[in-house]
Each structure stands twice: as C-alpha cells, then as structure tokens.
Amino acid sequence: MNISSIPPAQVADRAASAVAIRGTALEKSYRSGKVSTTVLRGLSLEIGLGELTLVSGPSGCGKSTLLSLLGGLLQPDAGRVHALGVDLWALAARDLERFRLEHTGFVFQGFNLFGALSALEQVMLPLGYLGLDSGTARLRAEEALSEVGLSDRIALRPSALSGGEKQRVAIARALAKQPQLLFADEPTSALDAASGQRVIEILHRIARRHNCAVLCVSHDPRLIGQSDRVLQMEDGCILADRRQFEQKELTA
Amino acid sequence: MIVALARKTLIHEWRRFFPAVLAVAFSGLLLLVQTALVLGIFGSAAVFVDKSRGDLWIGYPGTRSVELGRAIPLDSEIWLRLDPAVARVESFLWVDGDWRSRSGQGAVSVSVSGIEPGADGLMFARALPAEMRERLRQPDSVIVDHADLDKLGVSVGGRARINGRQVQVVGAAQQLRALGGVNILASLDTARRLRYLGDGVADDMRMTYYVVKLHDPGAAPAVAARLNREVARHGFEAWTSSEFSQRAVSFWMFETGAGLGVLFMSLVVCVVGVVITSQTLMAAVAGSIDEYATLHALGVGLRELRRVVLEQAAWVGAGGLLIGVLGSAGALVLAFQHDVPVALGVIPGLICAGLVMTISLLSGMAAVRVLRHADAANLLR
Ligand SMILES: Nc1ncnc2c1ncn2[C@@H]1O[C@H](COP(=O)(O)OP(=O)(O)O)[C@@H](O)[C@H]1O
Ligand SMILES: [Mg+2]
C-alpha cells in the first residue's frame, strides 16, 4: 500500500474532523522483574486531523504510554493502532521507521537538540534522511523556523538559545518534514509560563494551518484553554472527551 | 548527507573524543616504535650481509645465522672460481675474542670480522669508506663501531688486546653493530693472527664464509640452486644475499622467542587500545543518546545512526593515526641520533597503520551497540 498517496483530508466541520489515528482496545503493561503494572486496559480513541487534541491527566496515569503506542514507538500488548489508515503494528520494523519518517513528527519535554548543530542544521538533519537535496531542505527548514518565529536565530547553537527557543527549534524540526501527525509529550513542562504559552499557540496554529493531527500530552492544566479537544485521562482510562467550542456554546 | 553530523559533533565535542584520539595515537606510537625497534635490532642480525655487496654467501651447510658459521673446506674457493657465473670470490673469517682495553679490567666479548682490506672489497662495502678500509692493511689494526667506543674503553688511535694480542684502533665506522655482540673489523691476516687455536695446534687456513659476486646478479637464485645440488660433495651451502639476510633475521626473531614476544606485545597494545577507545566512544554515544533516540523517533533508521557512530570512529582513527605517526617520527629521529637501531619499511608501516584503523573501527562497532538504547520510548516518561 502506498502510504504517501493518502489524500489530505479536507476538514470543513471541526466538530467531526476526519480521523487521523484510531486506537482500538489498547492494552499495555510494564514488567519490571516479576512485578507487572498494567497501564492501559482496553482503551479506544480517535484523533482527528486539523485539530489540537490534548490528553490531560495526573502524572503516572499513562499519557506518555498512550502517545508511544499511537506514535509507533512502543508496541501495544493487545489492540490496534491505525494511523492514516495503516495498521502500524502490522508493519515490519523498517517499514515502521519509514512511516514515521514520512508522516510523523515528535516533540519531547527535553528538547534533545544536537549541541554541535545550529538551529538550521537541526531542522535540516531529518530532511536529509528523507532524501531531499540540500537546497530544498534548506528552504523547508528556513520556512519551518520562520513559522515558529525563529528566523533571526537560525545560525545559533542550542547553547545560545533559551529553553522556549530550543523547544521551538524542536517543533520546527518535526514540522519541516511536513507530517500529518505531530506528537508532543509535555512540550511545555520545562518552560516558563510565557514560553509555554507561545509553544502551545504554535502547536495549535500548526494543526489548523497544515491540517495535521496534533496530539499533545500534558499534566499542565494551563494548556486546556488552548486545545480544540481535551481528553481527560485518569488511571489508564479516558474519563471525559470535551470539545472546547461545545463547552463555550454550553456556557453561552 | 546534507548535515555532517558525525564530523560537526566530533569537532564541537572534541574534549569528549580526545581521550579516544589519544588512545589510538598511543597505540599507533607503540606499534610503530616497537616494530621499528624490532626491525632495527633484528635487522642488525644481518648487518654482515646487508652492509656488504656480493650476490651469494657461501658457508657451512645448514648455517642459520651469520654468527653461527663454521669453517668450510679450503677447496670451496676453487669450486667457486671454476664456476663460469662467478666474477669474484672474497673470503670472510669469523673469529670470537675477548677484548681488554687495560690490564686488570674485565673482558668484553667481541667478534672479529676478517675481511679483504682492499678499497674495492665486498664485505662491509656499504659501511666502510674506502680510505678507512685501506688502514686495515697496517698489521694488527682494527676498526670498531663509533657507538661501541665507550663500551670498549678506547678512542680512535688507542690500543687494546684481543685474545691477548695487541691491536690498534685505526677508525670508527657507523652502523657496524650486530645483534650477537660487539663487531670489530680487521684484515684477514690480522684476524687469523688473533685466533686462539690452542697450544701446539697447526695454523688453520680455512675460512668461515666466501662472498661471491656474479657476472649477472639476477642469476643469483639459479646459481645458488645449482651449487646446492652438490652440498654433500662440496661441503658448503650457497644462499643469495637476501635469503641469508632473511635467515639471520628470522633466526633471531623466532628461534629466540623474541618474535612471539613482539606479536604478543602487539596484541596487548591492540587490546588495550580497543578497550580505552571503545569506552570513550561508548561514553560519547551514550552522552548523545537522547538526540539519537529523537532522530530514531522521527524515522531515521538505526542503520543510518550506526553509520554516524562508525564515521566518528573512523575520524578518531585517522586523527589518532596522524598524531601517532608524528610522534613515532619524532621518536625514531631521536633513536637514530642516539645510535639506537631502528628501521621501518613501507609494508610493516602500513600493517601498523592498518592495525590502528582496525582498533578504532572495532571500538566504533562496540560503540554502535550503545545505540540499542536509542529507543524513543525512553524519552517519554
Ligand atoms: N519503562 C517502564 N517500565 C516500567 N514502568 C513504567 C515504564 N514506563 C512507565 N511506567 C509506569 O507506567 C505508568 C504510566 O507511565 P506514563 O505513561 O509515563 O505516565 P504519564 O506520562 O501519564 O505520567 C507509571 O506508573 C510509570 O511508572
Ligand atoms: Mg509522561
């Protein structure tokens, strides 16, 4: 199946946006020694294109585990993940790598930038592996850095950037690949309030402008107001699924 | 690759990689200097052959190294001169002796090489200036190696006794030192007089070796083979010069166990080099493991990440090799200035360089294994 040929979904109605990721009956438990901790037991959910979905909940409730499963980083014990119509965990390891390379971006709590590279090089690096030539990669990288507001910082190494700027470089690195799926795990937790606000705004804008599915996972309640949809998670279960505009309608 | 991650990281974090470069450099230095020393020392086992001209060596059958020679029949010279391929035959007499520079002082064990004193002599033609060689015509005169003067307790022009007979040092030449002991040159007549034959024993006119020059040097292997068809009748064996030189070197290298020692030492150097270099490279990979894991999450294959680590190992190897070669060059120059025998050919040098690159690539392969931890799920907590 040709994954790249999936047409970008045209989303008119945000309340019922096209499904980008579908997780079905996901189970995951961790074994350390003889002790086995079950984190997810039969969780199902859908993530839509063109919107920022926030998974919110207390620390240790299984948010990061869920993101790993949906992002193709960690294999579920049971259940399925369909991303862009592809059954992720039916793919061979190299095909899964290829799928991630072509369709997904990740942003982590630690920015994980290479100390030796300038902001521009950080963003260009994955593009090289996509097979882009140097000129195209440079244009795309500059575009992505400009989108996160770092046009004047492209020559700087991480040591010369603030935490918020580093996280924006990390977002640009994920964005420059032009993924349909963007995953962010606690992207604001290492940042001060203003920088965190800026980062979540950028993620929100990316979801709308590029019509991609942004799945953000955080225990930070300040992000709730910036999301299109909030999944309230606790102890491995989704307790509530709210759309922000529905809420506003209700309160109006 | 449009971003040279391996090289940029190497330069930016040079402090982190420097111990690995140093470990490789030291391994290279040790291997090169050790090889040069071994080749220098054991090469001097063949100094008699290598410093002489002449295409064939004729000696006692089965002789394994120059200093193990025994007298061969007097008629050998006639057989040789009768051979149409032979242009010249020169005698070489080996005499063991005790050297005393002053009465009451301990003796130094020496070997005296009795050679033709003529200006165009074959023996030691590459080590002796013609004019110095002529001085050997003076009875009971000897030439010693410059570096042995102190050990022998004389200076040029001084006198000493060999096997109780007085000799005068008429010159000091370079690079006469042989592995077996102190090498002293004298004319054939002087050497014969220096022999201690035992009381009442008639003089022995037999020689230890003949050095032969052929009309056609290229025919040496064929002539040697032809002469050796009649070893039993002649009572001597013939070797080409390079063959006899090799014989002497491999005798000292392997019969004495020194060769195995050298191989063992090289193995130790390589193992230590790999251990230190791989530890440093592994630490460097571990230090960037979150970044590698992020690339892996973004879809960059483990194979591509491995290539980055191996490229770093190759650069570390190249840098270490460069420093090692420069250091070795310095050490060898120093050794040369102090008459320490060192020699290094192209092939042994390339083998050492190959070992150094092997050390760094093996270390790189060890460091690659750290990438197993480049699992993006570890970034998610
Ligand atoms: N690799 C692991 N090995 C063992 N237990 C783990 C591992 N990763 C997470 N856990 C446990 O699983 C639970 C859920 O973790 P996680 O998904 O990281 O939660 P969250 O991101 O919501 O804080 C926690 O109790 C955590 O201790
Ligand atoms: Mg978490």
Side-chain angles (χ1 to χ4, degrees), chain A residues 81-162:
Chain A
V81 176
H82 285 88
L84 306 173
V86 176
D87 186 352
L88 280 194
W89 294 103
L91 295 177
R94 284 196 62 78
D95 294 334
L96 183 56
E97 272 171 5
R98 190 73 207 169
F99 180 89
R100 291 206 305 262
L101 186 62
E102 286 174 357
H103 303 287
T104 65
F106 287 91
V107 177
F108 300 108
Q109 178 176 355
F111 321 116
N112 307 329
L113 301 175
F114 286 94
L117 303 186
S118 69
L120 184 66
E121 289 163 340
Q122 311 272 5
V123 180
M124 284 172 70
L125 184 59
L127 302 183
Y129 294 101
L130 262 175
L132 298 189
D133 65 83
S134 173
T136 316
R138 195 190 164 92
L139 278 178
R140 270 215 213 170
E142 281 170 350
E143 207 175 299
L145 281 163
S146 130
E147 189 161 346
V148 299
L150 287 177
S151 289
D152 54 345
R153 294 281 194 277
I154 61 171
L156 298 184
R157 295 216 180 98
S159 55
L161 298 171
S162 73

Side-chain angles (χ1 to χ4, degrees), chain A residues 68 97 100 112 115 121 177, chain B residues 8 12 294 296-298 380:
Chain A
S68 308
E97 272 171 5
R100 291 206 305 262
N112 307 329
E121 289 163 340
K177 298 198 308 160
Chain B
K8 294 207 168 181
H12 186 253
T294 303
H296 190 220
L298 289 171
L380 296 157

Side-chain angles (χ1 to χ4, degrees), chain B residues 132-151:
Chain B
M132 193 188 284
R133 184 183 203 105
E134 288 283 347
R135 288 184 223 157
L136 288 178
R137 289 188 190 282
Q138 181 189 324
D140 297 329
S141 63
V142 295
I143 292 172
V144 301
D145 188 283
H146 192 79
D148 286 333
L149 283 172
D150 278 351
K151 183 174 174 184

Side-chain angles (χ1 to χ4, degrees), chain B residues 204-352:
Chain B
D204 185 351
M205 297 302 286
R206 290 180 300 166
M207 292 293 151
T208 325
Y209 296 98
Y210 292 99
V211 179
V212 171
K213 195 163 171 50
L214 300 176
H215 293 295
D216 172 18
V223 177
R226 177 152 50 75
L227 290 171
N228 286 340
R229 276 202 283 273
E230 300 193 73
V231 171
R233 184 152 70 99
H234 292 156
F236 65 75
E237 189 175 347
W239 304 275
T240 66
S241 301
S242 55
E243 193 185 343
F244 198 49
S245 165
Q246 285 282 310
R247 253 174 114 82
V249 174
S250 40
F251 172 78
W252 279 93
M253 286 265 253
F254 294 102
E255 296 298 315
T256 62
L260 278 181
V262 166
L263 287 181
F264 180 71
M265 276 302 293
S266 304
L267 191 71
V268 169
V269 168
C270 289
V271 168
V272 171
V274 168
V275 167
I276 299 178
T277 310
S278 63
Q279 287 297 318
T280 313
L281 285 178
M282 283 159 89
V285 173
S288 297
I289 198 70
D290 285 354
E291 284 75 41
Y292 287 124
T294 303
L295 283 187
H296 190 220
L298 289 171
V300 178
L302 282 178
R303 195 186 300 183
E304 281 73 25
L305 298 181
R306 267 183 218 125
R307 200 170 300 153
V308 172
V309 173
L310 286 180
E311 188 188 331
Q312 281 173 344
W315 283 111
V316 163
L321 185 59
L322 183 70
I323 298 177
V325 165
L326 291 179
S328 305
L332 295 189
V333 166
L334 213 65
F336 209 72
Q337 284 169 351
H338 290 81
D339 291 311
V340 178
V342 284
L344 193 62
V346 173
I347 290 174
L350 285 179
I351 291 175
C352 289

Side-chain angles (χ1 to χ4, degrees), chain A residues 30 39 58-65, chain B residues 381:
Chain A
Y30 293 105
V39 181
S59 204
C61 71
K63 303 183 297 294
S64 298
T65 304
Chain B
R381 278 292 143 82

Side-chain angles (χ1 to χ4, degrees), chain A residues 1-239:
Chain A
M1 149 174 240
N2 189 350
I3 296 163
S4 318
S5 65
I6 296 165
Q10 292 303 310
V11 185
D13 181 3
R14 289 198 186 282
S17 54
V19 172
I21 310 170
R22 174 178 294 126
T24 321
L26 294 171
E27 291 178 23
K28 184 72 195 174
S29 45
Y30 293 105
R31 260 171 299 281
S32 45
K34 289 190 181 110
V35 191
S36 171
T37 332
T38 303
V39 181
L40 303 178
R41 30 190 137 221
L43 187 150
S44 298
L45 81 174
E46 289 178 354
I47 309 291
L49 283 171
E51 63 181 8
L52 172 59
T53 306
L54 177 72
V55 177
S56 180
S59 204
C61 71
K63 303 183 297 294
S64 298
T65 304
L66 177 62
L67 184 140
S68 308
L69 300 188
L70 298 178
L73 301 177
L74 191 66
Q75 183 153 21
D77 298 335
R80 290 183 160 211
V81 176
H82 285 88
L84 306 173
V86 176
D87 186 352
L88 280 194
W89 294 103
L91 295 177
R94 284 196 62 78
D95 294 334
L96 183 56
E97 272 171 5
R98 190 73 207 169
F99 180 89
R100 291 206 305 262
L101 186 62
E102 286 174 357
H103 303 287
T104 65
F106 287 91
V107 177
F108 300 108
Q109 178 176 355
F111 321 116
N112 307 329
L113 301 175
F114 286 94
L117 303 186
S118 69
L120 184 66
E121 289 163 340
Q122 311 272 5
V123 180
M124 284 172 70
L125 184 59
L127 302 183
Y129 294 101
L130 262 175
L132 298 189
D133 65 83
S134 173
T136 316
R138 195 190 164 92
L139 278 178
R140 270 215 213 170
E142 281 170 350
E143 207 175 299
L145 281 163
S146 130
E147 189 161 346
V148 299
L150 287 177
S151 289
D152 54 345
R153 294 281 194 277
I154 61 171
L156 298 184
R157 295 216 180 98
S159 55
L161 298 171
S162 73
E165 287 169 335
K166 279 187 238 188
Q167 193 60 299
R168 277 144 66 195
V169 173
I171 293 173
R173 173 169 65 181
L175 177 64
K177 298 198 308 160
Q178 302 180 345
Q180 292 99 310
L181 314 172
L182 183 58
F183 298 90
D185 185 72
E186 308 278 2
T188 59
S189 296
L191 305 178
D192 60 82
S195 305
Q197 184 64 26
R198 179 119 198 229
V199 160
I200 197 72
E201 275 170 25
I202 289 170
L203 289 174
H204 199 182
R205 202 172 62 226
I206 288 170
R208 285 160 184 261
R209 190 185 289 177
H210 300 274
N211 190 35
C212 71
V214 178
L215 178 65
C216 181
V217 146
S218 180
H219 70 275
D220 186 351
R222 289 173 300 180
L223 304 188
I224 292 173
Q226 283 294 331
S227 319
D228 297 309
R229 179 184 172 204
V230 179
L231 299 173
Q232 194 66 42
M233 195 169 169
E234 213 157 296
D235 212 11
C237 301
I238 290 170
L239 298 182

